[in-house]
Amino acid sequence: MFALRAGAVVAASMVTALAAQAGEVEVLHWWTSGGEAKAAKALQATLQAKGHSWKDFAVAGGGGDSAMTVLKSRVVSGNAPAAAQIKGPSLQEWAQEGVLADMSDVAATNQWDKLLPPVVGNIMKYKGKYVAVPVNVHRVNWLWANPEAFKKAGAKVPTNWDEFFAAAEKLKAAGIIPVAHGGQNWQDFTTFESVALGVGGTEFYKKALVQLDQATLKSETMTKVLTTFKRVKSYTDKNAPGRDWNLATAMVIRGEAGMQLMGDWAKGEFISAGKKPGVDFICTAAPGTAKAFTFNIDSFALFKLKNEANVKAQKDLAAAIMSPEFQEVFNLNKGSIPVRLGQDMSKFDDCAKQSSKDFVDTAKTNTLVPSIAHGMAVSSAAEGAIKDAVSNFWNSDKMTVAQAMDKIAAAARTK
Ligand code: GAL
């Protein structure tokens, strides 16, 4: 009897202790499409399994521009969320403001330095201390294709830009929209970066879009890139302006369009629609980029918080994000690959396995490059200015290639 009562007391005090430690984590993200939302749910479930509560702060808008605007106003008013989806050099910009929390203890306990490739770990650190935690590695230089549409058109899935335009002609002749595109500036920019990589190669890409070298931005190669980029537009449909990226993916899923140039979050849409890679859809490197990899690493910056229980919850979230269980379930839904080294890939499909192999191989051959369109390559100010110039060119009927080149080079000087 006594033992039973004592047991009950212990159990009750454990519940109290758990409740006392339970905190709330408010998480800002822009994962609202089908595949993205499933991945975000996995994050929520992981946190809740630790006894904490999740406050969803989703701001719709592919690429995250709207989310970043909202985040700025929240932080300025002294009301930062616990975690926010922030990537690449922007992490340094936020850390410089002094608003990010030091996660060194979580990182040390969980051996992040050993589990992350140094190229990734360095992005997450400010002055040697972790201020963010990565969730995945997205590859941006993909081409998605509908095999039925290609069969109907008698077209071959392209491996270079000549083949791309040959396939586009055939798709068009068969009454299929060749290229599914969403006319939003970040999507125009995503297409541009794949064209730049495919036409110019990795050395050109690095000089032009990472180092922002003026001479390279005004070179012969840049002329070719811009000409090819604009030619892609002629194979998009008239309803493209303003279209969300996932609606463009849906056009490929339905076979209404033949191909889409988009990062592998698009795969999350195919998967969430019950489609099988290699059967219902094809993933292949964007034309001319098979030996290169534009990486886009999603990460969460952790903001300084006052409430102790919430700090504990925030640290639990950071630790959970790097766990193999979370990395698996999240990335299976998101279309990306785990960022953690040595992760078991047996449950992943061939697109992910290819991506995983290429991520490792391209790191060795120096053809692993940061995505400029997804905030990995340059400061947010330069990125925004170049993105606008590229998108203006895409949308203008009057701007010449030479004028576009000048505008882009001028935008690249933005500090
Ligand atoms: C990217 C982000 C991806 C995906 C995509 C579309 O910038 O890294 O995770 O969400 O935007 O929204």
Side-chain angles (χ1 to χ4, degrees):
M1 182 65 198
F2 177 76
L4 227 166
R5 280 194 37 204
V9 170
V10 171
S13 64
M14 272 172 67
V15 170
T16 323
L18 247 183
Q21 281 176 1
E24 180 187 82
V25 182
E26 185 178 23
V27 183
L28 171 76
H29 62 94
W30 62 87
W31 292 330
T32 54
S33 80
E36 288 178 331
K38 279 192 186 159
K41 277 265 170 267
L43 185 57
Q44 178 175 349
T46 303
L47 178 79
Q48 285 168 341
K50 305 243 167 225
H52 301 299
S53 58
W54 166 278
K55 191 169 174 197
D56 200 41
F57 185 6
V59 180
D65 286 346
S66 314
M68 287 305 104
T69 308
V70 177
L71 176 64
K72 272 178 200 144
S73 67
R74 279 281 302 266
V75 178
V76 166
S77 64
N79 186 21
Q85 198 188 337
I86 299 178
K87 305 185 290 185
S90 281
L91 285 167
Q92 306 299 314
E93 296 169 13
W94 281 102
Q96 272 156 21
E97 298 295 320
V99 289
L100 300 188
D102 179 2
M103 290 286 131
S104 305
D105 51 347
V106 185
T109 313
N110 296 284
Q111 302 196 305
W112 289 2
D113 272 342
K114 277 200 191 140
L115 292 170
L116 292 173
V119 62
V120 180
N122 291 339
I123 299 173
M124 306 301 141
K125 289 179 193 172
Y126 177 67
K127 297 195 173 158
K129 292 183 173 145
Y130 280 94
V131 291
V133 56
V135 287
N136 63 359
V137 179
H138 270 304
R139 184 183 199 170
V140 182
N141 59 317
W142 282 112
L143 177 77
W144 307 93
N146 181 309
E148 268 301 304
F150 269 73
K151 207 169 145 204
K152 195 169 147 201
K156 174 179 164 287
V157 176
T159 60
N160 59 44
W161 288 100
D162 285 342
E163 289 177 12
F164 177 88
F165 292 116
E169 272 304 320
K170 288 199 169 162
L171 287 161
K172 191 173 161 188
I176 298 162
I177 297 164
V179 182
H181 184 73
Q184 296 172 346
N185 64 0
W186 72 271
Q187 294 186 65
D188 304 340
F189 203 22
T190 300
T191 298
F192 173 79
E193 97 175 12
S194 282
V195 173
L197 186 66
V199 172
T202 43
E203 283 317 304
F204 166 82
Y205 182 97
K206 284 189 222 170
K207 273 198 180 147
L209 302 177
V210 183
Q211 292 152 24
L212 303 179
D213 175 60
Q214 285 290 314
T216 312
L217 285 166
K218 288 186 175 175
S219 62
E220 234 347 88
T221 310
M222 188 66 170
T223 305
K224 271 194 218 146
V225 167
L226 288 167
T227 311
T228 310
F229 172 59
K230 202 60 191 271
R231 203 170 152 206
V232 175
K233 191 188 176 197
S234 62
Y235 292 100
T236 62
D237 68 318
K238 65 172 190 341
N239 295 324
R243 177 187 287 138
D244 286 331
W245 67 270
N246 53 316
L247 300 182
T249 308
M251 290 164 67
V252 180
I253 293 177
R254 291 193 300 266
E256 196 178 308
M259 347 179 229
Q260 182 185 19
L261 287 155
M262 187 51 68
D264 44 20
W265 44 94
K267 196 186 76 187
E269 295 301 298
F270 284 101
I271 300 293
S272 138
K275 303 294 176 194
K276 300 242 168 331
V279 180
D280 307 310
F281 70 95
I282 288 166
C283 59
T284 188
T289 71
K291 294 204 160 55
F293 191 119
T294 29
F295 69 85
N296 170 21
I297 294 165
D298 284 316
S299 49
F300 281 99
L302 292 322
F303 282 82
K304 281 182 184 160
L305 300 174
K306 291 201 183 84
N307 178 304
E308 233 178 83
N310 291 351
V311 169
K312 168 85 175 63
Q314 180 188 49
K315 290 188 174 181
D316 282 354
L317 177 79
I321 283 177
M322 278 289 290
S323 70
E325 298 78 21
F326 172 77
Q327 290 276 323
E328 180 175 274
V329 62
F330 178 86
N331 287 299
L332 282 172
N333 286 304
K334 189 71 170 69
S336 38
I337 55 171
V339 67
R340 205 185 137 111
L341 293 170
Q343 177 94 20
D344 175 12
M345 292 295 287
S346 56
K347 288 202 187 135
F348 286 83
D349 60 37
D350 289 347
C351 306
K353 284 183 181 138
Q354 182 72 45
S355 184
S356 184
K357 180 180 180 301
D358 290 348
F359 184 62
V360 174
D361 289 354
T362 56
K364 288 183 193 141
T365 52
N366 266 328
T367 53
L368 176 67
V369 295
S371 162
I372 185 170
H374 292 276
M376 302 304 298
V378 299
S379 73
S380 56
E383 184 201 324
I386 301 171
K387 173 161 62 188
D388 284 347
V390 164
S391 187
N392 284 345
F393 173 57
W394 176 270
N395 286 304
S396 162
D397 293 333
K398 297 199 187 86
M399 200 188 297
T400 64
V401 165
Q403 286 167 336
M405 201 144 65
D406 284 346
K407 274 202 155 207
I408 292 168
R413 292 181 192 272
T414 310
K415 290 274 181 272

